Amino acid sequence: MPRLGLTLLLACLLPAGVRAQEAARPNVVVILTDDQGYADASAWGGTDVRTPNLDRLAAEGLHFSRMRSNGTVCSPTRAALMTGRDADRVGVPGVIRTAPDNSWGRLAPDAPMLPALLRSAGYHTAMVGKWHLGLTPSDAPNARGFDLFRGFLGDMMDSYTSHRRHDQNYLRHNDAPIEATGHATDLFTEWAIAYLRERASAAAAPSATTTSSRQPFFLYLAYNAPHFPIEPPAEWVARVQARAPDMPELRRKAVAFDEHLDAAVGRVLAALDETGLARDTLVVFTSDNGGSLPHGQRNDPWRGGKQQHYDGGVRVPFAVRWPGRVTAGRRTDHPGQTFDIYATLLDLAGIAPPEGMDAVSFAPVLRGEPMETSTRALYFVRREGGAAHGGNAYHAIVRGPWKLLQNTPYSPLELYHLDRDPQERTNLADTEPDVLRDLQAVLQRRIQRGGAVPWQ
């Protein structure tokens, strides 16, 4: 009997309770890109970029149009995603860097890590790609709940082909330093595919002949791309130049970088199909923050970009695919943040959320059910050094249609009504003092909570 037919027969023979339990425990692949602008994927409005594989995810699953990151830069969003808490509540209000005098976070040792919780519930856990949450062994992925790590410990790469940062090698296979040849995007893709094939082989082993005996897996695939330096392979630049010879060079390279990344995602999706894992695997795709405007990335139609609390800095492409569970082709304007992935995965895996979780499960949205979000406050924080910031933090908060923000610690508060002014052009701080005071009080409480956790 063909393997698929045998699988279906065995599934039918399982007690209904077991089948229901297994249906709520999908394999999970979370794909996080780095600095990918809202308009750097065509399904989210990009007009000069071709991303058929990201578009496919959005078309075959649920397309989110109002999701935001947890921060305007890398580490805070990643810390929030891994812990389900505001970034400053786990000690990561800013970017973790190699030089201690310019590093603005340290992931709290007792933070409730997503991979550790999933592993305790029986998942095999793996991370491929960019970590950016600590460089020491006690801060590394294997110490934080991942069974397997193949990737890059640090922040940005100085080159996608030499894989160094400040002349240091942060490539690791678990705890061991490794050398690798090739473009980092391709390497991470190959390592992810190898992991998926390994998991498929384990599921097909004689000891895993029933659905209930198969171990679900969690793969966190975090690309460095399209973070600067913008280094797409030459052939991808040539393709864009051939079809759009008048495109400015800066934008041409950014588009080529996005399209090379999209092809990599396509290879991962193809591996899920080829191994038969796709139908039992929930795939989440998003970016860690908005695109960097000085590097040719785009966040249209939103104002601003990376490092700013305008929506161009925090509004991100977001899609969830789960064949047979999430109806394909739907769109939602559900407003949430990256770390809601944490709460949702725990929900779907039947794991009780840890005490103090800030994230909110969007599992009802996946089922097509309404969620009340009008009173929820979305909180953003970034601490940074240099003349513009002086080691201080700046914040933003969104509640309902209102948004209160700063873009540096020294700038005045700005207030916008997003329903009437989605491009954040008319600052209402002087004309809506009651709203400003109300939101400022909410923001103050969140800042106080974060201040209880050390970040150095």
Side-chain angles (χ1 to χ4, degrees), residues 201-231:
S201 295
S207 61
T209 55
T210 66
T211 302
S212 59
S213 67
R214 295 190 185 120
Q215 183 181 26
F217 65 83
F218 167 55
L219 171 61
Y220 172 40
L221 173 55
Y223 286 103
N224 282 66
H227 192 294
F228 54 86
I230 309 298
E231 292 183 342

mmCIF file of all heavy atoms in Angstrom, residues 201-231:
data_model
loop_
_atom_site.group_PDB
_atom_site.id
_atom_site.type_symbol
_atom_site.label_atom_id
_atom_site.label_comp_id
_atom_site.label_asym_id
_atom_site.label_seq_id
_atom_site.Cartn_x
_atom_site.Cartn_y
_atom_site.Cartn_z
ATOM 1 N N SER A 201 12.348 11.553 7.531
ATOM 2 C CA SER A 201 12.872 10.186 7.653
ATOM 3 C C SER A 201 12.521 9.591 9.010
ATOM 4 O O SER A 201 12.170 8.418 9.122
ATOM 5 C CB SER A 201 14.384 10.189 7.452
ATOM 6 O OG SER A 201 14.716 10.587 6.136
ATOM 7 N N ALA A 202 12.624 10.405 10.053
ATOM 8 C CA ALA A 202 12.279 9.919 11.391
ATOM 9 C C ALA A 202 10.804 9.542 11.465
ATOM 10 O O ALA A 202 10.436 8.540 12.087
ATOM 11 C CB ALA A 202 12.610 10.983 12.433
ATOM 12 N N ALA A 203 9.960 10.333 10.798
ATOM 13 C CA ALA A 203 8.520 10.046 10.819
ATOM 14 C C ALA A 203 8.192 8.780 10.047
ATOM 15 O O ALA A 203 7.192 8.108 10.335
ATOM 16 C CB ALA A 203 7.749 11.225 10.240
ATOM 17 N N ALA A 204 9.030 8.446 9.046
ATOM 18 C CA ALA A 204 8.775 7.270 8.217
ATOM 19 C C ALA A 204 9.432 6.017 8.771
ATOM 20 O O ALA A 204 9.263 4.933 8.213
ATOM 21 C CB ALA A 204 9.276 7.523 6.798
ATOM 22 N N ALA A 205 10.171 6.144 9.853
ATOM 23 C CA ALA A 205 10.875 5.002 10.423
ATOM 24 C C ALA A 205 9.879 3.975 10.959
ATOM 25 O O ALA A 205 8.760 4.321 11.343
ATOM 26 C CB ALA A 205 11.808 5.474 11.535
ATOM 27 N N PRO A 206 10.278 2.688 11.005
ATOM 28 C CA PRO A 206 9.353 1.648 11.501
ATOM 29 C C PRO A 206 8.800 1.935 12.888
ATOM 30 O O PRO A 206 7.686 1.540 13.208
ATOM 31 C CB PRO A 206 10.242 0.386 11.501
ATOM 32 C CG PRO A 206 11.274 0.651 10.462
ATOM 33 C CD PRO A 206 11.553 2.134 10.526
ATOM 34 N N SER A 207 9.587 2.626 13.732
ATOM 35 C CA SER A 207 9.109 2.922 15.085
ATOM 36 C C SER A 207 8.093 4.045 15.121
ATOM 37 O O SER A 207 7.548 4.349 16.176
ATOM 38 C CB SER A 207 10.296 3.299 15.975
ATOM 39 O OG SER A 207 10.936 4.463 15.460
ATOM 40 N N ALA A 208 7.840 4.671 13.957
ATOM 41 C CA ALA A 208 6.903 5.796 13.898
ATOM 42 C C ALA A 208 5.803 5.505 12.894
ATOM 43 O O ALA A 208 5.498 6.301 12.029
ATOM 44 C CB ALA A 208 7.641 7.080 13.523
ATOM 45 N N THR A 209 5.194 4.326 13.028
ATOM 46 C CA THR A 209 4.200 3.924 12.041
ATOM 47 C C THR A 209 2.807 4.416 12.362
ATOM 48 O O THR A 209 1.900 4.244 11.568
ATOM 49 C CB THR A 209 4.170 2.393 11.930
ATOM 50 O OG1 THR A 209 3.952 1.839 13.234
ATOM 51 C CG2 THR A 209 5.481 1.874 11.365
ATOM 52 N N THR A 210 2.609 5.010 13.518
ATOM 53 C CA THR A 210 1.302 5.585 13.842
ATOM 54 C C THR A 210 1.454 7.071 14.086
ATOM 55 O O THR A 210 2.504 7.544 14.521
ATOM 56 C CB THR A 210 0.693 4.929 15.089
ATOM 57 O OG1 THR A 210 1.491 5.243 16.206
ATOM 58 C CG2 THR A 210 0.588 3.420 14.920
ATOM 59 N N THR A 211 0.390 7.793 13.825
ATOM 60 C CA THR A 211 0.413 9.244 13.994
ATOM 61 C C THR A 211 0.803 9.627 15.409
ATOM 62 O O THR A 211 1.583 10.554 15.628
ATOM 63 C CB THR A 211 -0.973 9.828 13.652
ATOM 64 O OG1 THR A 211 -1.302 9.471 12.324
ATOM 65 C CG2 THR A 211 -0.965 11.347 13.793
ATOM 66 N N SER A 212 0.279 8.886 16.407
ATOM 67 C CA SER A 212 0.507 9.268 17.786
ATOM 68 C C SER A 212 1.949 9.072 18.221
ATOM 69 O O SER A 212 2.368 9.640 19.228
ATOM 70 C CB SER A 212 -0.427 8.486 18.713
ATOM 71 O OG SER A 212 -0.201 7.100 18.571
ATOM 72 N N SER A 213 2.734 8.259 17.510
ATOM 73 C CA SER A 213 4.116 8.021 17.916
ATOM 74 C C SER A 213 5.095 8.955 17.240
ATOM 75 O O SER A 213 6.273 8.945 17.561
ATOM 76 C CB SER A 213 4.508 6.569 17.614
ATOM 77 O OG SER A 213 4.540 6.358 16.212
ATOM 78 N N ARG A 214 4.649 9.747 16.303
ATOM 79 C CA ARG A 214 5.553 10.643 15.598
ATOM 80 C C ARG A 214 5.815 11.893 16.419
ATOM 81 O O ARG A 214 4.908 12.467 17.006
ATOM 82 C CB ARG A 214 4.970 11.032 14.239
ATOM 83 C CG ARG A 214 4.847 9.850 13.303
ATOM 84 C CD ARG A 214 4.502 10.305 11.894
ATOM 85 N NE ARG A 214 4.280 9.121 11.070
ATOM 86 C CZ ARG A 214 3.159 8.840 10.441
ATOM 87 N NH1 ARG A 214 2.140 9.672 10.538
ATOM 88 N NH2 ARG A 214 3.045 7.761 9.725
ATOM 89 N N GLN A 215 7.056 12.325 16.423
ATOM 90 C CA GLN A 215 7.434 13.503 17.188
ATOM 91 C C GLN A 215 7.258 14.746 16.334
ATOM 92 O O GLN A 215 7.894 14.880 15.288
ATOM 93 C CB GLN A 215 8.889 13.385 17.649
ATOM 94 C CG GLN A 215 9.326 14.558 18.516
ATOM 95 C CD GLN A 215 10.778 14.451 18.944
ATOM 96 O OE1 GLN A 215 11.586 13.822 18.259
ATOM 97 N NE2 GLN A 215 11.111 15.057 20.068
ATOM 98 N N PRO A 216 6.416 15.698 16.744
ATOM 99 C CA PRO A 216 6.304 16.937 15.990
ATOM 100 C C PRO A 216 7.583 17.747 16.136
ATOM 101 O O PRO A 216 8.369 17.543 17.065
ATOM 102 C CB PRO A 216 5.115 17.639 16.626
ATOM 103 C CG PRO A 216 5.076 17.116 18.025
ATOM 104 C CD PRO A 216 5.567 15.699 17.948
ATOM 105 N N PHE A 217 7.789 18.675 15.232
ATOM 106 C CA PHE A 217 9.007 19.486 15.289
ATOM 107 C C PHE A 217 8.680 20.969 15.167
ATOM 108 O O PHE A 217 7.640 21.365 14.646
ATOM 109 C CB PHE A 217 10.005 19.084 14.193
ATOM 110 C CG PHE A 217 9.531 19.330 12.777
ATOM 111 C CD1 PHE A 217 9.654 20.588 12.183
ATOM 112 C CD2 PHE A 217 8.973 18.305 12.021
ATOM 113 C CE1 PHE A 217 9.219 20.820 10.882
ATOM 114 C CE2 PHE A 217 8.541 18.528 10.718
ATOM 115 C CZ PHE A 217 8.667 19.789 10.150
ATOM 116 N N PHE A 218 9.609 21.758 15.684
ATOM 117 C CA PHE A 218 9.568 23.211 15.566
ATOM 118 C C PHE A 218 10.877 23.664 14.934
ATOM 119 O O PHE A 218 11.951 23.452 15.502
ATOM 120 C CB PHE A 218 9.399 23.849 16.947
ATOM 121 C CG PHE A 218 9.642 25.342 16.991
ATOM 122 C CD1 PHE A 218 8.948 26.209 16.153
ATOM 123 C CD2 PHE A 218 10.550 25.891 17.882
ATOM 124 C CE1 PHE A 218 9.169 27.583 16.200
ATOM 125 C CE2 PHE A 218 10.779 27.261 17.953
ATOM 126 C CZ PHE A 218 10.084 28.111 17.102
ATOM 127 N N LEU A 219 10.785 24.270 13.755
ATOM 128 C CA LEU A 219 11.951 24.821 13.070
ATOM 129 C C LEU A 219 11.809 26.333 12.997
ATOM 130 O O LEU A 219 10.854 26.855 12.424
ATOM 131 C CB LEU A 219 12.065 24.249 11.654
ATOM 132 C CG LEU A 219 13.127 24.906 10.749
ATOM 133 C CD1 LEU A 219 14.525 24.765 11.321
ATOM 134 C CD2 LEU A 219 13.054 24.337 9.323
ATOM 135 N N TYR A 220 12.766 27.022 13.584
ATOM 136 C CA TYR A 220 12.846 28.483 13.530
ATOM 137 C C TYR A 220 13.932 28.829 12.523
ATOM 138 O O TYR A 220 15.117 28.613 12.775
ATOM 139 C CB TYR A 220 13.170 29.018 14.917
ATOM 140 C CG TYR A 220 13.469 30.497 15.034
ATOM 141 C CD1 TYR A 220 12.756 31.453 14.314
ATOM 142 C CD2 TYR A 220 14.446 30.941 15.922
ATOM 143 C CE1 TYR A 220 13.033 32.806 14.450
ATOM 144 C CE2 TYR A 220 14.722 32.296 16.074
ATOM 145 C CZ TYR A 220 14.019 33.221 15.341
ATOM 146 O OH TYR A 220 14.292 34.566 15.483
ATOM 147 N N LEU A 221 13.511 29.321 11.361
ATOM 148 C CA LEU A 221 14.421 29.638 10.251
ATOM 149 C C LEU A 221 14.520 31.152 10.132
ATOM 150 O O LEU A 221 13.611 31.811 9.637
ATOM 151 C CB LEU A 221 13.904 29.016 8.956
ATOM 152 C CG LEU A 221 14.637 29.367 7.667
ATOM 153 C CD1 LEU A 221 16.128 29.069 7.750
ATOM 154 C CD2 LEU A 221 13.999 28.625 6.485
ATOM 155 N N ALA A 222 15.625 31.695 10.630
ATOM 156 C CA ALA A 222 15.797 33.148 10.708
ATOM 157 C C ALA A 222 16.912 33.575 9.760
ATOM 158 O O ALA A 222 18.099 33.389 10.049
ATOM 159 C CB ALA A 222 16.123 33.554 12.135
ATOM 160 N N TYR A 223 16.514 34.150 8.637
ATOM 161 C CA TYR A 223 17.489 34.603 7.646
ATOM 162 C C TYR A 223 18.139 35.918 8.079
ATOM 163 O O TYR A 223 17.502 36.761 8.712
ATOM 164 C CB TYR A 223 16.813 34.800 6.297
ATOM 165 C CG TYR A 223 16.464 33.521 5.577
ATOM 166 C CD1 TYR A 223 15.153 33.053 5.548
ATOM 167 C CD2 TYR A 223 17.437 32.792 4.910
ATOM 168 C CE1 TYR A 223 14.823 31.882 4.869
ATOM 169 C CE2 TYR A 223 17.118 31.616 4.234
ATOM 170 C CZ TYR A 223 15.811 31.161 4.214
ATOM 171 O OH TYR A 223 15.491 30.013 3.553
ATOM 172 N N ASN A 224 19.407 36.107 7.693
ATOM 173 C CA ASN A 224 20.038 37.426 7.811
ATOM 174 C C ASN A 224 19.507 38.382 6.753
ATOM 175 O O ASN A 224 19.422 39.591 6.982
ATOM 176 C CB ASN A 224 21.555 37.317 7.642
ATOM 177 C CG ASN A 224 22.243 36.804 8.884
ATOM 178 O OD1 ASN A 224 22.035 35.657 9.267
ATOM 179 N ND2 ASN A 224 23.054 37.632 9.516
ATOM 180 N N ALA A 225 19.208 37.878 5.591
ATOM 181 C CA ALA A 225 18.719 38.693 4.485
ATOM 182 C C ALA A 225 17.302 39.171 4.766
ATOM 183 O O ALA A 225 16.538 38.489 5.454
ATOM 184 C CB ALA A 225 18.755 37.883 3.190
ATOM 185 N N PRO A 226 16.949 40.332 4.205
ATOM 186 C CA PRO A 226 17.745 41.232 3.362
ATOM 187 C C PRO A 226 18.431 42.375 4.126
ATOM 188 O O PRO A 226 18.554 43.487 3.612
ATOM 189 C CB PRO A 226 16.707 41.778 2.394
ATOM 190 C CG PRO A 226 15.456 41.876 3.223
ATOM 191 C CD PRO A 226 15.512 40.702 4.170
ATOM 192 N N HIS A 227 18.895 42.111 5.361
ATOM 193 C CA HIS A 227 19.645 43.116 6.128
ATOM 194 C C HIS A 227 20.907 43.510 5.357
ATOM 195 O O HIS A 227 21.550 42.670 4.726
ATOM 196 C CB HIS A 227 20.017 42.519 7.483
ATOM 197 C CG HIS A 227 20.538 43.492 8.491
ATOM 198 N ND1 HIS A 227 21.736 44.156 8.343
ATOM 199 C CD2 HIS A 227 20.032 43.900 9.687
ATOM 200 C CE1 HIS A 227 21.947 44.918 9.395
ATOM 201 N NE2 HIS A 227 20.916 44.795 10.233
ATOM 202 N N PHE A 228 21.264 44.806 5.437
ATOM 203 C CA PHE A 228 22.494 45.249 4.809
ATOM 204 C C PHE A 228 23.698 44.566 5.473
ATOM 205 O O PHE A 228 23.614 44.181 6.642
ATOM 206 C CB PHE A 228 22.610 46.783 4.877
ATOM 207 C CG PHE A 228 22.485 47.367 6.268
ATOM 208 C CD1 PHE A 228 23.579 47.487 7.115
ATOM 209 C CD2 PHE A 228 21.245 47.802 6.740
ATOM 210 C CE1 PHE A 228 23.467 48.018 8.381
ATOM 211 C CE2 PHE A 228 21.119 48.336 8.016
ATOM 212 C CZ PHE A 228 22.226 48.448 8.841
ATOM 213 N N PRO A 229 24.834 44.378 4.776
ATOM 214 C CA PRO A 229 25.140 44.866 3.430
ATOM 215 C C PRO A 229 24.284 44.163 2.372
ATOM 216 O O PRO A 229 24.062 42.957 2.459
ATOM 217 C CB PRO A 229 26.620 44.529 3.258
ATOM 218 C CG PRO A 229 26.838 43.337 4.143
ATOM 219 C CD PRO A 229 25.953 43.562 5.335
ATOM 220 N N ILE A 230 23.801 44.959 1.425
ATOM 221 C CA ILE A 230 22.922 44.423 0.391
ATOM 222 C C ILE A 230 23.792 43.690 -0.632
ATOM 223 O O ILE A 230 24.396 44.296 -1.506
ATOM 224 C CB ILE A 230 22.101 45.547 -0.283
ATOM 225 C CG1 ILE A 230 21.412 46.409 0.785
ATOM 226 C CG2 ILE A 230 21.072 44.962 -1.245
ATOM 227 C CD1 ILE A 230 20.418 45.683 1.653
ATOM 228 N N GLU A 231 23.850 42.363 -0.507
ATOM 229 C CA GLU A 231 24.759 41.550 -1.312
ATOM 230 C C GLU A 231 24.031 40.406 -2.020
ATOM 231 O O GLU A 231 24.241 39.232 -1.719
ATOM 232 C CB GLU A 231 25.876 40.976 -0.438
ATOM 233 C CG GLU A 231 26.847 42.011 0.097
ATOM 234 C CD GLU A 231 27.980 41.390 0.887
ATOM 235 O OE1 GLU A 231 27.847 40.214 1.314
ATOM 236 O OE2 GLU A 231 28.986 42.076 1.087
#
